[in-house]
Amino acid sequence: MLLGVRHWKKRSESCSFSGSVQATFVKVLNIEMKVQKVLLQSDVHLKSDKTPVTVADYGSQAIVSFVLEKELSTEPFSLVAEEDSGDLRMESGQEILHRITKLVNDTLVIEESYTVATLSSEDVLRAIDSGKSEGGSSGRHWVLDPIDGTKGFLRGDQYAIALALLDEGKVVLGVLACPNLPLASIGTNNKHSSESSNEKVGCLFSAKVGEGTFMHSLDGSSLIKVHVSDIENPEEASFFESFEAAHTSHDLSSAIAKVKLGVKAPPIRIDSQAKYGALSRGDGAIYLRLPCKGYREKIWDHAAGSIVVTEAGGVVTDVAGNPLDFSKGEHLDRDTGIIVTNRKLMPSLLKAVRESIQEKVSPM
C-alpha cells in the first residue's frame, strides 16, 4: 500500500499533493477495514433520506478532511463530499457520533503521522462539515466519496474510497482505493466478493491527467500501468452495471447489450466505482449507468473513476456523447445517463443507447 501510494504522490507533487495521499489513504483504509470486520447493527445509521451510512463513512470523511486540510494549509481548501453532520448533531445521533470520534482518534494514534491532541466530537463534526463546499468552475476543489458503495461495504462486497481533484472544473487527479477487488481480473465470472475468492485482493488505481493510470496493490507489492480493453466486437465484450437496481435501469441496459449489440456474456454487477477501476485494466469493456428519470448524479460518484478510465485510454460521456461536466457544483449537469467504454466500441454503443432511449420514450 505505502509503496504504491508513494509512487503516485511523487507523480502528483506538481499539483500540491505533498504527502496527503499517503497519509490520507493509510488512515482511511485502516478505519474502513477495522469497521467492516467488527460492524454492529448499531453502527449503521439511516440518514434523513433513508439511505444507510456507517461510522466508516463519517470517520473516513473526517480523516480525509483533517489530513488534506493540514497538508494543504498554505492554499485555499475546498472539499466537496457526500456526508454532513446534520443527523449526527441530533439527539438520536449522539451514540454513533461517540463511536465515530473514538474510531478517528484511535486511528490517528495508531498511524502516528500527526501529533495532535485528542479530537473532540465537535472537532470531528467540523471536519466532516469541511466537505460542504459546492465546487464549481473556478479554483481547485477536492471531491470525495468516503465510502462509495455503502451497501456493498455492508455486504462485504465491493466498495471504494474515491478522491479526485478538480482544477477550473476539470478533473486533474483521481484515486480509487478498492480494498475488496482482486488483483487478478474479475472477468465475467462475477466473483467480486472478497469472501468468494482466495485470490489476493486490494487495489488502488491512480491517475493524473496526461500521465496514464496505474494500479497498485494495497500492500505495495505490485505496480503496473493499465489500459482499457481493445475489444472492438461488442459481441465479445463484458458488460458492467450497478449492483443496486435503484442506481440504474437494468432492463434498459440489458436490452441495449443483448438486443442492440449482441453481447453474449451476462452482466457483471458490482457496487461502487470499483467498476471504473476494473474497466480501466480491461476486465470488461462497457459500463452503462442509465438512472431513472429525475435522478441526478453526484460528482463524487464519478469524478475519480472517470479520470482513471480516460487516462487508461477509455471514454466517459453522457448519452449524448458529451464529456461529463464536473463544473456545475455537486451534481452533474445532465441526468441522462453515463457511458463508459473504449474508443473502438463507443460509436456503436452510443448509437445503441440513443436508439433504445428513443424507443422507450416513443414506443411503437
Side-chain angles (χ1 to χ4, degrees), residues 25-338:
F25 278 88
V26 169
K27 290 175 175 60
V28 170
L29 284 171
N30 277 344
I31 280 183
E32 295 183 352
M33 291 177 177
K34 180 179 178 182
V35 170
Q36 194 175 44
K37 290 178 181 177
V38 298
L39 193 67
L40 304 173
Q41 187 62 38
S42 56
D43 290 322
V44 183
H45 179 72
L46 286 180
K47 294 188 286 187
S48 54
D49 64 359
K50 305 303 181 183
T51 56
V53 62
T54 70
V55 295
D57 292 86
Y58 287 122
S60 297
Q61 183 158 316
I63 288 287
V64 172
S65 172
F66 177 81
V67 172
L68 282 180
E69 196 159 12
K70 276 191 170 296
E71 291 285 341
L72 305 173
S73 58
T74 59
E75 61 183 71
F77 178 69
S78 174
L79 177 67
V80 185
E82 181 171 16
E83 309 303 342
D84 64 62
S85 71
D87 290 331
L88 296 177
R89 293 181 183 275
M90 300 172 65
E91 185 176 350
S92 59
Q94 293 307 296
E95 187 175 353
I96 193 170
L97 174 58
H98 174 75
R99 289 193 179 96
I100 295 163
T101 302
K102 184 178 186 304
L103 194 60
V104 169
N105 280 308
D106 288 350
T107 305
L108 287 171
V109 169
I110 290 170
E111 288 304 319
E112 299 180 344
S113 298
Y114 295 95
T115 303
V116 295
T118 299
L119 300 181
S120 67
S121 293
E122 186 60 35
D123 292 330
V124 171
L125 291 171
R126 282 197 296 268
I128 291 170
D129 283 340
S130 290
K132 283 186 174 180
S133 171
E134 295 183 358
S137 60
S138 63
R140 285 183 174 178
H141 307 280
W142 294 93
V143 179
L144 170 71
D145 194 332
I147 294 186
D148 182 35
T150 300
K151 291 182 179 179
F153 173 80
L154 293 173
R155 291 195 309 271
D157 283 348
Q158 294 306 325
Y159 71 97
I161 310 158
L163 181 67
L165 177 62
L166 300 183
D167 190 359
E168 305 299 317
K170 305 293 185 182
V171 185
V172 295
L173 295 171
V175 63
L176 291 176
C178 306
N180 290 339
L181 187 67
L183 287 174
S185 172
I186 59 175
T188 58
N189 60 17
N190 207 18
K191 291 183 179 180
H192 54 272
S193 170
S194 61
E195 296 180 356
S196 68
S197 172
N198 293 322
E199 295 175 338
K200 189 174 181 181
V201 300
C203 306
L204 186 145
F205 298 89
S206 61
K208 180 181 177 183
V209 66
E211 295 192 6
T213 298
F214 291 81
M215 183 181 77
H216 324 249
S217 63
L218 292 185
D219 64 6
S221 62
S222 65
L223 171 66
I224 59 172
K225 191 170 186 177
V226 297
H227 199 276
V228 296
S229 166
D230 61 359
I231 287 176
E232 53 186 318
N233 182 353
E235 293 185 6
E236 301 173 359
S238 294
F239 196 95
F240 287 112
E241 62 184 6
S242 299
F243 188 92
E244 295 292 333
H247 293 170
T248 189
S249 173
H250 285 164
D251 289 344
L252 182 55
S253 295
S254 178
I256 293 169
K258 295 180 180 178
V259 179
K260 295 290 185 180
L261 298 174
V263 174
K264 293 182 170 56
I268 306 170
R269 292 178 179 169
I270 63 176
D271 301 279
S272 83
Q273 289 177 74
K275 291 184 288 293
Y276 280 102
L279 194 146
S280 76
R281 68 185 187 185
D283 290 9
I286 298 171
Y287 166 35
L288 290 182
R289 185 170 168 110
L290 305 170
C292 300
K293 186 177 181 180
Y295 180 83
R296 296 187 68 193
E297 296 283 5
K298 303 292 196 344
I299 62 173
W300 51 71
D301 287 325
H302 302 282
S306 66
I307 192 171
V308 164
V309 167
T310 55
E311 283 299 309
V315 188
V316 183
T317 74
D318 64 18
V319 296
N322 301 309
L324 301 186
D325 186 352
F326 293 96
S327 70
K328 305 296 184 182
E330 69 174 32
H331 291 94
L332 290 176
D333 191 34
R334 300 175 177 86
D335 61 359
T336 52
I338 295 172

